[in-house]
Amino acid sequence: MKKILNLAILLVVGILLVGCNNAKTENKPQEEKTASAQEVKKLRLAHNQTSLDNPYQFGLQKFAETLKEVSGGKMEAEVFAGTLGTNENELAMKLSTDSVDVVVASPGFMSSTGVKEFDLLSLLYLFDSFEDWESKIDGEFGNKMKDIITEKTNNEFKVIGYYSSGVRNYYGKKPITVPEDVKGLNIRLQQSPVQQEFWKNAGANPINVGWAELYQALNTGTADAAENDMTNMSQQEHHKTKNGKYTSTTEHDYTTRLLLMNGKNYDNFTEEEKEWINKAAEASVLEERTKTYEMLDLSKAKILEDGGEINEVDKEKFKAIAVPIQDKFIEDNNLQELIELIRK
């Protein structure tokens, strides 16, 4: 009987101790969890491409990885590929509503908000190579453009890095080597006035065809030619169409994309947090550009492997058409200071 009583007492004591420990483990982790949630800040990163196999995705993933690493887990980021919007302009506007923290946007978006200086980047033959583009966009010219955005948008938008979107080339139903070779061709172009003027001056007929409809247009002959970077066009298999076989390396447009934040939101972070974001952006830019260049080489090989043809052109003759258009645009928009930063 005494043994049974002792066992009963031990059992009651054990239950009480377990209950106390459970109460502690229920309360303490909740307190720790709350404190942890307060310490970890999360950013939403977005681009407009739905494919996960593209340089934007690789770049933003690197941003997220680096941010978590340099902050010791105090800041994290989630990447959204096309799920928050496939229109770059609409996606960038979400920065103002706090529904996204970092986006990839085109210079055309900044122009649409009233920062007309970014129309400069729509001019053709501004840069001679990726190395030339990098030296200007990462140097005094790029820094000046960052300051212009901050000032003219009242810090609504802030550039934290510049992505590359490749280099655009002509491709069509016949190869070209000089501007006269495009005379009479119906070429699908972007809606940029200066770019359309360039191809008109070369003798081509600009036509408006949606990107999603371009494969069919090249196959049926509605479009004789188009222009884009090799990665985009080969992923859409334009090089396999009836009028897309010949790629001529005009290299007329080394394109830029902006890694954007809301400047006011950025300023609300502590100096340490800003440093983490800056380091993440720097790693992101390096990764995105590296992937862009790698995919360009792979795309070139794919075009040739699939039976497409690639030829060099006399770029000086194409530049001779582009420079007068540049000069007039610069004069009309009073952008002499900026063009000198590129041309020097």
Side-chain angles (χ1 to χ4, degrees):
M1 184 69 180
K2 187 175 181 181
K3 285 183 178 181
I4 294 173
L5 182 61
N6 288 338
L7 285 171
I9 292 171
L10 288 172
L11 181 60
V12 171
V13 171
I15 291 171
L16 290 173
L17 287 173
V18 169
C20 290
N21 287 335
N22 284 343
K24 288 179 181 179
T25 55
E26 286 174 2
N27 292 330
K28 188 173 181 181
Q30 183 60 39
E31 292 169 359
E32 290 176 353
K33 184 178 179 181
T34 301
S36 177
Q38 291 173 345
E39 290 173 5
V40 177
K41 293 186 178 180
K42 296 191 176 182
L43 302 182
R44 290 158 65 88
L45 321 178
H47 61 83
N48 71 328
Q49 299 296 306
T50 55
S51 167
L52 299 182
D53 187 25
N54 70 82
Y56 296 171
Q57 178 70 13
F58 290 118
L60 291 186
Q61 285 286 12
K62 189 65 174 181
F63 188 112
E65 294 167 8
T66 304
L67 185 65
K68 185 173 183 178
E69 179 183 346
V70 298
S71 69
K74 293 180 181 179
M75 290 188 80
E76 296 180 355
E78 184 176 2
V79 179
F80 296 85
T83 55
L84 297 184
T86 55
N87 181 293
E88 280 188 339
N89 287 9
E90 292 176 4
L91 187 59
M93 287 306 298
K94 293 180 185 291
L95 289 171
S96 300
T97 62
D98 296 335
S99 56
V100 67
D101 300 289
V102 178
V103 301
V104 181
S106 71
F109 166 72
M110 293 315 312
S111 300
S112 70
T113 65
V115 188
K116 294 300 181 182
E117 286 82 354
F118 272 82
D119 280 333
L120 178 66
L121 291 173
S122 66
L123 295 171
L124 303 186
Y125 288 105
L126 280 180
F127 309 104
D128 295 326
S129 63
F130 282 118
E131 292 77 15
D132 182 43
W133 173 80
E134 284 193 3
S135 70
K136 304 298 170 51
I137 209 73
D138 292 335
E140 190 177 356
F141 169 72
N143 290 333
K144 179 68 174 177
M145 297 297 268
K146 289 179 181 180
D147 292 340
I148 288 172
I149 283 184
T150 299
E151 177 186 347
K152 292 208 166 184
T153 67
N154 193 27
N155 203 27
E156 191 74 19
F157 299 102
K158 177 182 179 66
V159 176
I160 58 173
Y162 292 105
Y163 277 4
S164 167
S165 192
V167 58
R168 300 175 81 95
N169 297 289
Y170 159 96
Y171 59 97
K173 69 178 185 180
K174 70 173 188 176
I176 64 172
T177 56
V178 293
E180 292 78 10
D181 292 336
V182 303
K183 186 175 181 179
L185 294 182
N186 293 326
I187 183 169
R188 184 267 184 184
L189 300 175
Q190 302 176 85
Q191 294 302 300
S192 165
V194 292
Q195 294 185 19
Q196 295 205 4
E197 182 182 359
F198 171 86
W199 289 101
K200 281 181 183 178
N201 289 356
N205 304 314
I207 61 172
N208 183 22
V209 177
W211 179 247
E213 291 76 44
L214 184 52
Y215 179 94
Q216 185 69 11
L218 289 166
N219 243 348
T220 61
T222 303
D224 296 320
E227 57 82 49
N228 213 309
D229 73 286
M230 290 190 198
T231 298
N232 274 328
M233 64 88 86
S234 64
Q235 285 182 339
Q236 298 298 317
E237 300 198 330
H238 289 176
H239 62 294
K240 293 183 178 181
T241 64
K242 176 183 175 182
N243 285 352
K245 179 179 180 179
Y246 299 97
T247 298
S248 300
T249 55
T250 48
E251 296 182 339
H252 52 271
D253 187 9
Y254 286 87
T255 54
T256 306
R257 289 296 179 267
L258 315 175
L259 198 58
L260 283 179
M261 288 189 73
N262 182 301
K264 295 173 183 177
N265 290 345
Y266 176 87
D267 288 345
N268 286 331
F269 289 106
T270 66
E271 291 304 313
E272 184 179 36
E273 290 167 343
K274 289 178 186 175
E275 185 63 25
W276 295 337
I277 292 171
N278 293 343
K279 287 182 178 179
E282 184 178 348
S284 174
V285 164
L286 179 59
E287 179 73 6
E288 192 276 342
R289 293 181 188 176
T290 299
K291 290 296 182 182
T292 293
Y293 305 155
E294 286 177 356
M295 292 178 78
L296 173 58
D297 290 337
L298 292 173
S299 299
K300 185 174 182 178
K302 174 179 171 58
I303 291 169
L304 295 173
E305 182 181 338
D306 290 342
E309 296 186 23
I310 300 173
N311 70 280
E312 301 292 325
V313 306
D314 187 343
K315 276 192 274 191
E316 291 305 315
K317 290 188 176 180
F318 284 92
K319 287 180 184 179
I321 295 176
V323 172
I325 297 174
Q326 291 180 11
D327 291 340
K328 185 177 184 306
F329 182 86
I330 296 304
E331 183 177 353
D332 290 346
N333 293 278
N334 195 29
L335 299 176
Q336 288 83 357
E337 180 184 354
L338 289 174
I339 197 65
E340 286 306 316
L341 293 177
I342 292 177
R343 289 177 172 175
K344 72 177 184 179

